[in-house]
C-alpha cells in the first residue's frame, strides 16, 4: 500500500502541472484585467501602463506563466494586486473557518446520510422509504442559495433561534463554554445548507448498494444461522455495501469546499469561499489561481483517500 500511495503521489505531479496550465489560460481568457477594477480618473494612461508593467502584465503569456509557476514551486502563491498582501497569508487566515464549516458539514453528511440510507433500504417500498426518497430528490435539486435564504428567513428572522450571519456574535466578549455555544449557533444553519446535497447523495447510494448486498448468498447464510437482523445488516451487509459510499466520501471533500463559496457568501462566513467570491469580483487573479490549485489538490487527495478506504472496506482489493 505504501508503494501504491507513493506512485499515486508521483503521478499527481504532471496532473497538477496540467491543472496550473489550464487555470492560467482560463484566467488569461477572462475579459478585462485586474487593473480595470482600479480605474481612477486622476490616473493617466501612462501611469496605468506603468503599473501594468510593474505587475508583469506586459510580458508574453508564456513568460507570465513560468514566472508564476516558479513562484508556486518555491511556496509563494503570489500577492494580491490591490493591497499587496501575501496570498498564502490570506489562505492561512481564512482556512480555519472553512475547515470548521466543511468539517462539520462532512460529518453531518455521513452521520445522517448512512443511517437514513440503511433505514430506507430496510423499509423498501414502504411509507418511510417514499418519504426519504422525496427528501433525497429535494436535497439534490434545491439550490443552496435558495435553501440558505429560506433557513435564514424562517429560523433566524422569524423564529430567532439562530443568528443570520457571521461566525461569532459581534461585540460579545465570550470565553469557554459560552463561546463554544455561540460558535455552534452560528455554524448550524450554514452546515445544514452545505451538507444537504451530500446527505441526499449518500443516503441514495447507501440504500441502493445495501439492497443489492442484501440479496447475496452470504447474507442469506448469516440469516440462516439465526443471527438477528440488526447484526446481519450492520456487521455483514453494510460493510460490503460501503464501496460506492466510499467513492462519495472521497469526492465530497472537494465538493464541500466548492459549495462553501455560495454558502459562505450567503451567511457572511469568514472563510476561503467568501474570499473567493471577493477575488472573482475584484479580479484578483493570484487569489483565484491559488484557490483553484488548492481545490485541485483536494480532488487528488480525495481520490487517493477513497482508493485506500476501498482496501479497508473490502480485503479482496489489493493494489500492486
Amino acid at each position: 500500500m505504501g508503494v501504491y500511495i507513493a506512485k499515486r503521489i508521483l503521478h499527481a505531479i504532471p496532473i497538477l502541472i496540467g491543472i496550473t496550465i489550464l487555470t492560467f489560460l482560463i484566467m488569461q481568457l477572462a475579459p478585462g484585467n485586474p487593473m480595470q477594477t482600479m480605474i481612477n480618473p486622476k490616473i493617466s494612461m501612462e501611469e496605468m501602463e506603468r503599473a501594468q508593467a510593474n505587475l508583469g502584465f506586459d510580458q508574453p503569456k508564456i513568460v507570465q506563466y513560468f514566472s508564476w509557476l516558479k513562484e508556486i514551486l518555491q511556496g509563494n502563491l503570489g500577492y494580491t494586486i490591490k493591497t499587496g498582501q501575501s496570498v498564502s497569508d490570506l489562505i492561512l487566515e481564512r482556512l480555519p473557518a472553512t475547515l470548521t464549516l466543511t468539517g462539520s458539514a462532512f460529518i453531518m453528511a455521513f452521520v445522517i446520510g448512512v443511517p437514513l440510507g440503511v433505514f430506507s433500504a430496510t423499509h423498501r417500498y414502504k411509507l418511510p422509504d417514499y418519504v426519504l426518497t422525496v427528501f433525497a430528490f429535494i436535497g439534490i435539486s434545491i439550490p443552496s442559495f435558495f435553501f440558505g435564504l429560506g433557513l435564514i428567513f424562517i429560523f433566524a428572522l422569524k423564529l430567532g433561534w439562530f443568528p443570520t450571519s457571521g461566525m461569532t456574535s459581534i461585540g460579545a466578549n465570550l470565553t469557554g463554554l459560552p463561546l463554544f455555544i455561540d460558535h455552534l449557533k452560528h455554524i448550524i444553519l450554514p452546515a445544514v445548507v452545505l451538507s444537504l446535497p451530500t446527505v441526499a447523495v449518500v443516503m441514495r447510494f447507501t440504500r441502493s448498494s445495501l439492497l443489492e448486498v442484501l440479496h447475496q448468498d452470504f447474507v442469506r447464510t448469516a440469516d440462516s444461522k439465526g443471527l438477528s437482523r440488526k447484526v446481519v445488516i450492520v456487521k455483514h451487509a453494510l460493510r460490503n455495501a460501503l464501496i460506492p459510499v466510499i467513492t462519495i466520501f472521497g469526492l465530497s471533500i472537494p465538493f464541500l469546499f466548492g459549495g462553501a463559496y455560495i454558502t459562505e457568501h450567503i451567511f457572511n462566513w469568514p472563510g476561503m469561499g467568501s474570499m473567493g467570491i471577493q477575488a472573482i469580483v475584484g479580479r484578483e487573479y493570484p487569489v483565484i489561481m491559488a484557490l483553484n490549485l488548492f481545490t485541485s489538490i483536494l480532488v487528488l487527495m480525495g481520490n487517493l483517500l477513497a482508493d485506500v478506504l476501498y482496501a479497508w472496506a473490502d480485503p479482496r482489493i489489493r493494489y500492486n
Side-chain angles (χ1 to χ4, degrees):
M1 181 61 72
V3 175
Y4 172 77
I5 293 175
K7 288 182 178 179
R8 285 289 298 271
I9 293 175
L10 290 176
H11 291 163
I13 295 176
I15 295 175
L16 283 176
I17 293 176
I19 290 172
T20 61
I21 295 174
L22 288 176
T23 301
F24 185 83
L25 290 177
I26 290 173
M27 290 297 99
Q28 296 299 322
L29 291 173
N33 61 67
M35 298 304 300
Q36 293 182 354
T37 64
M38 304 168 62
I39 293 177
N40 189 328
K42 297 181 181 179
I43 298 179
S44 64
M45 185 60 65
E46 291 76 12
E47 292 175 320
M48 181 70 70
E49 293 176 353
R50 192 181 307 117
Q52 290 180 339
N54 291 335
L55 293 173
F57 291 144
D58 62 332
Q59 297 292 328
K61 304 303 182 185
I62 186 83
V63 175
Q64 294 185 40
Y65 168 73
F66 279 106
S67 297
W68 175 66
L69 184 61
K70 178 183 176 181
E71 295 298 325
I72 292 293
L73 294 176
Q74 295 175 354
N76 180 17
L77 297 178
Y79 302 89
T80 60
I81 295 173
K82 292 183 179 180
T83 63
Q85 188 175 358
S86 170
V87 175
S88 300
D89 292 341
L90 272 177
I91 291 178
L92 291 176
E93 178 184 333
R94 300 287 191 116
L95 184 59
T98 296
L99 287 178
T100 302
L101 177 58
T102 55
S104 301
F106 188 83
I107 293 172
M108 289 176 61
F110 287 89
V111 169
I112 297 174
V114 172
L116 287 181
V118 173
F119 184 79
S120 181
T122 54
H123 294 77
R124 184 183 185 186
Y125 300 144
K126 296 180 181 179
L127 180 60
D129 184 32
Y130 292 130
V131 172
L132 290 175
T133 299
V134 172
F135 164 77
F137 288 151
I138 293 175
I140 295 172
S141 304
I142 189 171
S144 58
F145 69 90
F146 179 81
F147 185 51
L149 292 175
L151 291 186
I152 291 174
F153 179 76
I154 296 172
F155 293 102
L157 298 179
K158 291 297 183 180
L159 299 178
W161 292 356
F162 303 104
T164 58
S165 62
M167 191 173 178
T168 55
S169 298
I170 299 176
N173 188 16
L174 304 174
T175 58
L177 183 59
L179 179 61
F180 173 78
I181 294 175
D182 186 60
H183 279 310
L184 189 62
K185 289 181 178 180
H186 281 80
I187 201 174
I188 287 178
L189 292 185
V192 168
V193 172
L194 188 57
S195 66
L196 179 64
T198 308
V199 169
V201 172
V202 169
M203 187 191 75
R204 294 300 295 174
F205 269 80
T206 303
R207 177 190 182 276
S208 60
S209 181
L210 186 59
L211 285 175
E212 182 178 349
V213 171
L214 288 175
H215 291 90
Q216 295 185 8
D217 292 338
F218 73 93
V219 175
R220 286 194 290 266
T221 301
D223 280 327
S224 65
K225 290 180 179 180
L227 298 176
S228 67
R229 193 60 176 169
K230 180 178 179 182
V231 172
V232 171
I233 292 174
V234 175
K235 290 190 175 182
H236 295 272
L238 183 58
R239 182 169 179 175
N240 289 274
L242 285 178
I243 297 297
V245 180
I246 288 175
T247 304
I248 304 300
F249 184 90
L251 296 179
S252 64
I253 298 175
F255 173 79
L256 289 174
F257 268 86
Y261 275 67
I262 301 299
T263 304
E264 289 187 5
H265 184 66
I266 292 173
F267 289 92
N268 196 26
W269 190 265
M272 294 170 56
S274 58
M275 180 180 71
I277 295 293
Q278 295 170 6
I280 293 171
V281 174
R283 295 177 182 172
E284 288 283 2
Y285 290 174
V287 178
I288 298 172
M289 291 189 291
L291 291 176
N292 286 339
L293 182 62
F294 182 82
T295 305
S296 302
I297 293 174
L298 286 178
V299 172
L300 296 174
M301 290 177 58
N303 288 331
L304 177 58
L305 178 61
D307 289 341
V308 173
L309 290 176
Y310 287 152
W312 168 82
D314 191 344
R316 296 171 298 178
I317 298 177
R318 290 291 180 267
Y319 299 112
N320 297 322

